[in-house]
Structures are given as C-alpha cells and as structure tokens.
Amino acid sequence: MSQASTRALGAEAARLVEDEHRGANWKRWGPYLAERQWGTVREDYSARGDNWTAFPHDHARSRAYRWGEDGLLGITDRQGRLCFALALWNEQDAILKERLFGLTGPQGNHGEDVKEEYFYLDSTPTHSYMKALYKYPQAAFPYERLERENQHRGRLAPEFELADTGVFHERRYFDVFAEYAKAAPDDLLIRVTVVNHGPEAARLHVLPTLWFRNTWAWGRQGEGYWSLPRITAHGEDALLATHDSLGAYRLHARAPTGAPPLARLFTDNETNFQRLHGVPNRSPHVKDAFHEAVVHGRPEALNPAQEGTKAAFHAVLEVPAGGSATLELRLVLEAPAAATAPAAPFGEAFDTVFAQRLAEADAFYAARLPAALSDEERRVARQACAGLLWTKQFYHYAVKPWQEGDPAHPAPPPERLQGRNRDWGHLYNRDIISVPDKWEYPWYAAWDTAFHMVPFARLDPHFAKEQLLLFLREWFMHPNGQIPAYEFEFSDVNPPVHAWACWRVYKLTGAHGQRDRLFLKRAFHKLLLNFTWWVNRKDVDGLNLFSGGFLGLDNIGVFDRSKPLPTGGHLNQADGTAWMAFFCTTMLSMALELAQEDPAYEDIASKFFEHFVAIVDAMNHLGGTGLWDEEDGFYYDELKQEGQPPRLLRVRSMVGLVPLFAAEVLEDRLLERLPGFAKRLRWFLENRADLAQNTSYMAVCQRTGLGGRRLLAIPSRERLERVLRRVLDPREFLSEHGIRSLSRMHAEAPFVFHAGSEEHRVAYVPGDSDSGMFGGNSNWRGPVWFPLNYLLIEALERYHHFHGEDFQVECPTGSGTWMNLAQVARELSSRLSRLFLPDDSGRRPFHGEDARYVDDPAFRELVLFHEYFHGDTGRGLGASHQTGWTALVVQCLARHKGA
C-alpha cells in the first residue's frame, strides 16, 4: 500500500486493509488469552461433567491446561502458542496473583462471579494499541472470606463483592496498567505502570511472564501438537523463546530507573502431580515454581539451568505514596526473519512508537464514532469498543479427542461417551472468537456472538463477516444444520438471530451498490440448512407454532423451557414462533437482495414469503386467536396437554414483545425488478385476503409521495398499538433505563400456576435472580437486557419507515406526550445510553451506590458493561465485563444523537 493511500485511510484503517489482504499479519498478536481456563467444560474430564469441582481455582497455578491458557492483562498469538501476562505479589497474599479469582457456580449466591476489579481502557481493532487496568489491593487478598460470605448468603441477598471486604480502605491499592503498542506485526512494545494510591510507600513484586501453552504432554501428533519448545536466557536482559511453527522471539525488559536489576526465573509449564495427587512429578520443574520461589522463598523450585517452557522477569518495586514506577518490555521476532528488528529495544524510539499508536487510535475513533457525541459519550463509546476488542479469545475445543482422552494420560471414565456434547464429535474449534466475558463466560454463545458483530461492523468489518461465517462452517455447524449453542450443551437452542446479524453486517459494511455479495451468498446458503433444522425439529405439531426450548431467555417462563414440562405436553412459544417469523423475513430480505443479480433467488424468496405468511396465520388465528389474547392485548405462550384445551400462560414478559421484531418493509420499486416473485405475491394478495384481518400481512402504505411500500409484520396496526401501550407504560415495561424483561405489574400480581402439588410462580424480580434456575446467575424476570431492547429499537424504526408520522403513540403511556415510532426508538436508545453517562452529581446508574465512581478520581471515568441491569435502578448485574452485546450501547449513543 502506498504512503498516499495510507494517509487517506488513516494508519489503523490501513493496517486493517493490510491484514485482510494478508499483506501483513497485524492481528497475529492480540488479547486472545482467556481470563479463566479453569472450571471450563473443555478442561473437565470427570464422569458426571462437574466442571467446577473437576478443575478448581486452587489447581490452576499447579496444573497444565489441556485446551488453552489464562492470565492477567495478557496477550497471545492467534493459535495460543506463546503467551505473555503479568503476575503480582504484594507480600501479603498467600498465592502469587497470576490470574483473576472468582467464585464457582455452586459457591456464589447468584452463580459464578469474578471477584476482582479490572477495566479495559482502549484497543484498536488490530491491537496496534491496547491498554487495560487491574486494581490490586495492598492488603492480603480475601479469598476465603469471599468464598465463605457468599456461600452463607441466600438468593435474596446481594452478592458480597471485593470492595465490601474493606481491602480498598484508605485507597490502599495499586493501579497496574498494561499497555501494548506494535511497532510492526511481530514487534510488540509493552509498558507496565504501577501507581500506589495508598498513603504510604508500598512494595510490589511484578513478574512479566512468558510461557508456551502445553501442546506436547498429551501423546498426540498432527495439527496443533508441536515438539517441545524452549525459553532460554539471552544476553543480559532478554529471554529467547523458540517454537517450531512460531519461530524465535526475544523478550527484552528494562527495570525502572533506580530499581534493582531484574532477575530471570525459569521453570516448565508442567503439572505439579506431587501437590495435586501425591505422586512423583514427571518434570523436576513445574508450573507453580514461581509461586513457590517468590511467595515461599524456595528458589530450589526454579530451573538453575535458566531454561524451560515458562519464564519471567522478577521486579521488586518500591512505590512511594502517590507515586508510580514503570517497567518496559519488548517482544520481537528474532532476526533475520524480522527485517524490522530494532537496533536497540528501548530509548526514545520506544516512547515515540507508543505516542504514535495512541495518536492513531485517537484518529481511528474520531473517524468511526459519530462526530455529534459529547466528550463523555465518546469516552463511554470508546471504552465499550475497548471491551469488545479485549474479549476476543483463542478458543480450542475438539469434542472427539476430548471424549476419548489422550494417549499419554489415563483414559477418562466411559460415562463421558454418553454425556455432554456426545452428538458433536465433528466439532473442532481452534479459532479467535468474540466471547461474552473472558472470565464468567470464557466460551462462545452463538446468539451472543451474533449481537457482538453489529458494533464490530463499525470497527472491523472483515472480522465481523468472518466471525459470522465461522459459525456456519462445517467444523462448527452440525451436519443436521444446527448452530452450536455453547460448550455446556452445544445442542441447546439459542434464538435464531444469526441471519439477522449477517444481514445487518452486510448492510452496515458497505454503501448501497458496494456491498459484499459474496459474503451474503456464503451466509445465505448455510443459513438455509439452519432454517431447515428449525422447521424439522422445533415445530412439534407441524402447525407453524414453534417450541424452541429456553431460547436464551433462561428463567423468563413459568417452567424451565429447556426441560420436559412437569405437566406433560408442550409449549407453543410466542417467542419461539416469532423468532421463526423473524428468521423468515430476514431470509426473505436476503433472497430479494441476491435476486436482483440472480433470478434463481426469486424462487427461494417466495418460499420464505409463504412460510412467513403461514407462521403469522398460525400465531394470530390458529384455534381462533392463536397466541394472541384479545382481553390483555398481548402475545403469550400456549400450554398444550393431551386431552385438554390449550391454555395461554398469561405472563407479560419479553416473550410477548418478540412478535414485534418480525417486521419488514418491501418497496414496490424493488418488486418491479423481480417479476417472478411479484407474480407469486399477487396470487397471495388475490387468494388469501383472509390473512389481512389481524396482521400487517402485505399492508399497503397509503402515504403519498413515497412510492409504494408493503409491510410484512405479525401484528396488525391495532394490535401493535395495544402492545406498545404496555411496552411504554412505566407501570409495566418502560423503565428509566430501557425496556424491562418482565412487566412490573407482576410485582403486585405474580403469575401462579399449579401442576399437581407443585406451585410455579413468576413475579417481578428487578435485580439478581431469586431462584437457582440456570445456575442463578442470570435473570429475565425484570432486569433490562441490551440485545432484545436493541432488536425492538430496530423494529420500531422499520415500522416508522412504513407508517411515518401517521402512527404516533403516547410515550410514556399516560404522559400526554405523543411520539412517532422513530422518536420512540430514539427515546429508548437515550434511556439505555444513560446507564453509563454521569448525571449532575457525577453518578452513573450502572455502578449503583458505589461512591468510589463519584468521589475517587481513579474510578470516576471507568465504565463497566454488565450482562444486564436492574429494572428499577439501572445497577449493573450479572457478568461485569460482558461488553459483547452491551457494546450495542455504541449504536444506541449514535441513535441518541440522531447520527
């Protein structure tokens, strides 16, 4: 690429183009290291699939991982071969801090939960610049107290957090910043800055650690299994790491001015069998040697030959009160392979690269974020983008060898062959994947990833498209067409939003007439398989009413919808059926787009049009009124039991709002260019006029001057108005911070259902879950969730595109203020955005009553993007770093400003 072209694009955008076209491997290195590998399904070889007890936190420092690695504020290459991260010790802790600590599912009173304070501050899409922060207490880390107190608390009590223990009292903590800047694709500059916020000088041990993922101890050969690599001492200030496929890298380090020289420590990334199982070790030097040497003063645990597969520099920093100390490191590909290897690793050029990359990051975000954003809104959006980019993870899991066990280790229990994921033997994942949260959910969830790609499209269009296609490839998708859900059970059913994500990314990543049709075709053909799987597996009676399982909404229903019903029979699900209608309209739009250049797609467009009509007919009319309740003006699930009349389960929840999502506008000017499809459509208009009574099936736009438009939607205009009356009512769904997942009316009027002697109750619970359903760490009975709020916002915009100013609703209901649907969409975007924006007192709703975010300058500008938010207060709940789908706030901020 010429210098002129680079200047025109901007440096970071130019790097993205170079990487996409394989001119330079700018994304080889990134924040792809998990924050929790222990306790995952893929590391669990137990008979009953008890992943939390099979590999607990206490084993993590001593046991070599089989499928990945974890670390603190770390990086690795795209195949997870060579890893770098920080280890810390404050001379008070019982263990070396090499990874984040948290509670397991059984330990937490609301399920698994990280008990640390850390923040993603910045990143570019190529990770040419990154910055993150870890807050490390100077007092002993309260591991046992956190476990004990949370285990004693019940479901109705709040979680006991790190700050509740008092370890941050008098601001006695360190801020540990990790910054990365790339001088070249294989030349990484690293700056570790430690700030002492306490009132007295304090000492901190910092161990920048370099190690190889263990791929040699399993007795396997082939892809991903390499011979034993080595790390050795190199010169006076460096480590040399050599690997068969990665090459040779040097890690240089420089201590702060006036600090003692850095020691170099060596061991092997091998399991300490003696500690864990009381049997002799296979290697004399094991994974937890640095912990033994630093914390327990046992230097004999280290390899005196100064070689191994794990090595670290050891810095002992005396940091004055209010002062700071900085370590500099540089990881660079060994010459002659790297023509750009630096003559001197540190000095003025080192600082210059950092300054340049930060300036280029500023320029990139100035171009990618809407200009209308205020400084505070821009800060929130940039931290959201940082979190989204930092939660890319190397994810490795191959089901067949995992089930079988490894030749060099004892065979796992035979029960595993009939256990978890037994039908997914084809699945072979070894990719960089956008995960929900690298501690709480260090694995992909298919529908989460689909939502991630919408904000990703703004930052890195190529990654967004490739990620969506990845889940449709044959080493992910089941031969029957099902997309894998998540590692706990790949056969579970997530809402079918993958098609929507593909369609949105297609439209967001190119101007009309310049879009990537090859991407759209590749996605469309595989999505046909997925659609067919849904139709064949989830339409129990063949009546176009679908029962998809829990559909990602966990505890939203009367029953656990992923299990057989206690009543017998099955549910016709309002959301399951509406998701399929949404799937149909999305596939219809994709087919019509492709048909403009290939008439063969007109036939398949007709298929999706007719299937949509059949679903809408069933949802609105089957058995009289389908899943619609005329008295309440709402859509509900229907319980069908043999020998009994169908019964609507009148829980007013987000389940009844999903039918609004399936709305698509067809322009007559498009239909004129597609005669085959138009002919079939006319036949339906002439012969199935009965379908128009209670649905917006092909409703015609009456506005003049806009050209002909037709609307495909589940509700009629009158039904849409009735549902929105509830949606926008503060006594029901509308909160100050978005749309609740359950109507607030169920606080006073819980829904109660009796199945024999069992009572099933659904009440409004705006905060943490009060039940153990789905582990208790997720709650859809009141809180605000970004993904479905966002789909509702988009749907309202489509309805407005059709109805225009003629359709207005009272917002909020009872306020006397009337808005068109585009204004309602903007209002909802504004409410969601305000979760993260400070009010006049400096308080941001997401941080609840934590005064540090108002009073402490070291917290004031830090933002966390939680999994979901309290339905009344907006306080962040669930996974604290689920910036994936909560990064949709970037899209909301843009709408809020009309950008």
Side-chain angles (χ1 to χ4, degrees):
M1 180 176 294
S2 68
Q3 289 186 348
S5 299
T6 300
R7 284 194 299 271
L9 285 172
E12 177 61 15
R15 282 190 285 268
L16 283 169
V17 172
E18 271 193 300
D19 187 85
E20 178 182 349
H21 296 286
R22 303 192 176 186
N25 199 352
W26 282 105
K27 295 181 193 170
R28 169 178 282 168
W29 294 93
Y32 311 142
L33 200 59
E35 279 151 4
R36 178 175 61 82
Q37 185 70 13
W38 61 272
T40 59
V41 165
R42 53 199 182 280
E43 297 291 346
D44 172 21
Y45 283 78
S46 66
R48 295 186 298 175
D50 189 357
N51 56 290
W52 290 117
T53 57
F55 202 141
H57 176 265
D58 184 57
H59 286 198
R61 69 177 180 274
S62 304
R63 182 171 160 187
Y65 292 127
R66 173 62 178 84
W67 296 98
E69 290 289 344
D70 58 20
L72 183 61
L73 307 186
I75 60 171
T76 186
D77 67 275
R78 66 167 72 243
Q79 294 184 46
R81 293 163 289 191
L82 182 60
C83 309
F84 172 89
L86 302 180
L88 307 169
W89 189 50
N90 58 11
E91 299 192 344
Q92 303 296 319
D93 283 354
I95 62 174
L96 184 66
K97 175 70 71 174
E98 294 181 276
R99 56 189 50 80
L100 298 171
F101 170 74
L103 303 180
T104 68
Q107 288 174 332
N109 63 324
H110 295 290
E112 65 266 34
D113 187 41
V114 67
K115 297 300 182 184
E116 304 270 17
E117 300 206 350
Y118 60 105
F119 303 84
Y120 306 123
L121 302 181
D122 212 349
S123 182
T124 57
T126 65
H127 312 296
S128 59
Y129 179 76
M130 298 192 300
K131 186 176 183 180
L133 165 64
Y134 174 68
K135 290 183 177 286
Y136 187 33
Q138 293 171 7
F141 196 91
Y143 293 103
E144 292 183 3
R145 187 179 176 199
L146 286 165
E147 290 183 12
R148 185 175 61 253
E149 180 65 29
N150 279 284
Q151 283 187 305
H152 288 167
R153 293 190 175 196
R155 296 284 182 194
L156 300 180
E159 295 173 348
F160 185 66
E161 303 293 2
L162 181 61
D164 298 328
T165 69
V167 291
F168 292 107
H169 180 60
E170 295 183 329
R171 305 182 79 224
R172 292 180 184 270
Y173 66 90
F174 297 107
D175 270 351
V176 182
F177 293 93
E179 277 184 284
Y180 299 87
K182 293 181 182 178
D186 292 298
D187 185 1
L188 287 80
L189 285 59
I190 306 166
R191 191 158 59 193
V192 179
T193 303
V194 177
V195 180
N196 177 5
H197 287 289
E200 300 167 358
R203 182 181 299 158
L204 179 65
H205 295 246
V206 181
L207 284 75
T209 307
L210 190 70
W211 75 100
F212 286 109
R213 177 169 60 90
N214 190 324
T215 61
W216 57 85
W218 318 109
R220 291 187 177 272
Q221 296 180 336
E223 184 180 68
Y225 300 99
W226 297 280
S227 59
L228 188 70
R230 298 309 284 167
I231 304 175
T232 58
H234 182 79
E236 296 297 320
D237 71 341
L239 306 172
L240 180 64
T242 55
H243 188 279
D244 284 350
S245 69
L246 193 59
Y249 278 80
R250 282 180 280 119
L251 178 64
H252 297 269
R254 183 166 75 169
T257 303
L262 304 179
R264 287 179 287 189
L265 315 181
F266 294 84
T267 189
D268 282 304
N269 186 12
E270 299 278 4
T271 296
N272 187 342
F273 289 96
Q274 184 66 49
R275 174 180 180 255
L276 297 177
H277 308 296
V279 299
N281 286 324
R282 299 177 182 179
S283 169
H285 308 291
V286 291
K287 182 177 177 180
D288 56 14
F290 299 165
H291 161 79
E292 291 296 325
V294 175
V295 178
H296 295 301
R298 295 187 58 245
E300 65 271 20
L302 305 172
N303 189 342
Q306 292 200 310
E307 64 174 8
T309 51
K310 179 179 178 181
F313 293 100
H314 182 193
V316 183
L317 305 180
E318 296 281 355
V319 189
S324 65
T326 300
L327 279 167
E328 294 177 344
L329 302 103
R330 190 163 190 162
L331 181 65
V332 60
L333 186 63
E334 179 84 320
T340 58
F346 305 110
E348 185 178 344
F350 185 93
D351 296 331
T352 299
V353 170
F354 263 106
Q356 286 178 339
R357 295 298 175 265
L358 180 56
E360 290 161 1
D362 291 342
F364 176 81
Y365 282 107
R368 297 299 172 104
L369 297 177
L373 297 185
S374 68
D375 289 345
E376 190 57 53
E377 290 166 338
R378 187 171 296 275
R379 184 178 295 113
V380 169
R382 186 152 167 180
Q383 284 192 54
C385 293
L388 186 66
L389 292 161
W390 268 89
T391 44
K392 291 159 70 175
Q393 179 183 310
F394 171 71
Y395 183 85
H396 188 22
Y397 183 24
V399 170
K400 190 172 186 293
W402 173 77
Q403 288 178 315
E404 295 170 347
D406 293 308
H409 289 257
E415 298 96 312
R416 298 177 75 256
L417 296 176
Q418 300 305 316
R420 178 178 279 149
N421 297 328
R422 63 185 177 275
D423 298 327
W424 291 79
H426 75 286
L427 187 134
Y428 184 87
N429 297 165
R430 194 164 71 97
D431 302 276
I432 302 300
I433 295 178
S434 177
V435 301
D437 179 315
K438 289 200 297 185
W439 194 95
E440 192 148 335
Y441 305 118
W443 31 262
Y444 62 79
W447 82 307
D448 289 63
T449 303
F451 284 106
H452 301 179
M453 292 309 108
V454 172
F456 245 117
R458 180 186 295 271
L459 305 175
D460 189 350
H462 180 68
F463 179 82
K465 289 183 281 190
E466 289 300 307
Q467 191 85 160
L468 290 168
L469 292 174
L470 181 65
F471 279 75
L472 302 175
R473 295 306 303 266
E474 49 277 14
W475 54 91
F476 274 73
M477 178 183 272
H478 197 281
N480 64 18
Q482 185 179 9
I483 295 173
Y486 45 78
E487 66 176 31
F488 275 88
E489 186 54 73
F490 286 126
S491 293
D492 270 354
V493 183
N494 283 175
V497 294
H498 210 82
W500 163 80
C502 291
W503 179 234
R504 294 301 295 131
V505 166
Y506 169 76
K507 296 178 76 173
L508 287 167
T509 55
H512 187 67
Q514 301 175 9
R515 293 171 180 158
D516 188 350
R517 285 181 179 264
L518 177 60
F519 159 72
L520 192 64
K521 285 183 181 180
R522 291 176 67 193
F524 184 81
H525 291 162
K526 286 296 188 73
L527 288 166
L528 287 174
L529 300 177
N530 184 237
F531 184 88
T532 303
W533 174 83
W534 268 89
V535 171
N536 290 338
R537 296 296 180 95
K538 296 300 174 183
D539 182 5
V540 176
D541 295 327
L543 298 173
N544 294 298
L545 293 174
F546 290 81
S547 303
F550 83 101
L551 287 170
L553 308 189
D554 294 6
N555 65 340
I556 200 166
V558 181
F559 315 112
D560 181 343
R561 302 190 300 173
S562 68
K563 297 178 180 178
L565 302 181
T567 60
H570 67 271
L571 288 178
N572 288 326
Q573 293 178 216
D575 55 340
T577 305
W579 283 124
M580 283 304 291
F582 186 45
F583 201 166
C584 280
T585 58
T586 305
M587 293 294 280
L588 170 61
S589 295
M590 294 166 75
L592 292 175
E593 177 79 359
L594 294 170
Q596 294 181 64
E597 292 185 358
D598 186 346
Y601 287 95
E602 291 189 61
D603 294 345
I604 199 71
S606 296
K607 177 262 183 299
F608 283 111
F609 168 73
E610 294 181 22
H611 210 128
F612 171 78
V613 169
I615 292 172
V616 171
D617 189 26
M619 193 155 188
N620 283 305
H621 301 127
L622 191 67
T625 59
L627 304 182
W628 173 258
D629 183 76
E630 183 60 29
E631 181 180 347
D632 288 356
F634 208 73
Y635 290 98
Y636 295 118
D637 285 349
E638 180 185 71
L639 176 62
K640 291 200 70 176
Q641 298 170 269
E642 190 171 350
Q644 298 187 33
R647 176 180 175 181
L648 291 177
L649 301 178
R650 290 179 169 82
V651 179
R652 284 214 281 280
S653 73
M654 188 66 78
V655 163
L657 305 189
V658 176
L660 306 191
F661 300 167
E664 206 65 42
V665 178
L666 302 182
E667 308 283 350
D668 278 355
R669 63 177 180 273
L670 171 62
L671 301 179
E672 290 168 2
R673 298 199 295 271
L674 305 173
F677 176 76
K679 181 178 180 181
R680 184 66 180 166
L681 186 149
R682 283 195 298 272
W683 184 93
F684 260 81
L685 288 175
E686 293 168 1
N687 291 277
R688 296 301 309 275
D690 56 303
L691 296 180
Q693 182 178 358
N694 290 312
T695 176
S696 291
Y697 153 68
M698 293 307 292
V700 180
C701 179
Q702 303 297 326
R703 290 182 291 154
T704 60
L706 293 174
R709 288 178 182 160
R710 298 178 182 271
L711 176 67
L712 290 178
I714 290 175
S716 64
R717 176 173 176 143
E718 186 269 336
R719 288 186 176 180
L720 176 62
E721 287 176 339
R722 293 188 68 188
V723 173
L724 288 178
R725 201 172 301 145
R726 297 197 182 279
V727 170
L728 301 176
D729 189 339
R731 298 168 300 178
E732 293 219 30
F733 287 96
L734 183 65
S735 81
E736 288 297 314
H737 311 103
I739 299 301
R740 302 178 177 106
S741 48
L742 186 79
S743 172
R744 204 174 189 283
M745 60 84 63
H746 287 301
E748 289 76 33
F751 178 84
V752 178
F753 182 91
H754 290 93
S757 60
E758 294 183 9
E759 179 182 278
H760 298 265
R761 176 181 295 262
V762 178
Y764 176 69
V765 181
D768 289 309
S769 176
D770 61 357
S771 78
M773 195 184 294
F774 292 91
N777 65 336
S778 174
N779 183 23
W780 286 83
R781 294 185 175 180
V784 173
W785 291 74
F786 258 80
L788 269 63
N789 268 262
Y790 187 76
L791 289 178
L792 178 61
I793 288 167
E794 281 202 347
L796 291 172
E797 290 171 339
R798 292 193 295 276
Y799 284 117
H800 176 74
H801 181 64
F802 179 78
H803 290 294
E805 296 294 332
D806 296 339
F807 193 130
Q808 296 205 353
V809 292
E810 196 176 18
C811 180
T813 300
S815 67
T817 300
W818 293 81
M819 298 182 184
N820 64 45
L821 298 188
Q823 291 169 329
V824 174
R826 192 172 299 127
E827 173 63 20
L828 295 182
S829 296
S830 177
R831 290 180 180 231
L832 290 165
S833 300
R834 290 202 298 268
L835 281 163
F836 310 102
L837 298 173
D839 60 19
D840 292 341
S841 69
R843 180 184 171 276
R844 303 171 196 259
F846 84 87
H847 59 59
E849 299 304 316
D850 192 336
R852 294 176 302 164
Y853 287 89
V854 178
D855 301 332
D856 190 338
F859 277 86
R860 195 171 293 151
E861 294 182 353
L862 300 176
V863 181
L864 290 173
F865 300 88
H866 289 76
E867 184 179 5
Y868 55 99
F869 301 87
H870 194 286
D872 294 336
T873 68
R875 180 170 60 87
L877 300 167
S880 57
H881 291 70
Q882 193 155 337
T883 324
W885 63 24
T886 306
L888 288 164
V889 70
V890 178
Q891 308 298 101
C892 293
L893 284 164
R895 284 177 166 83
H896 165 59
K897 284 302 178 79

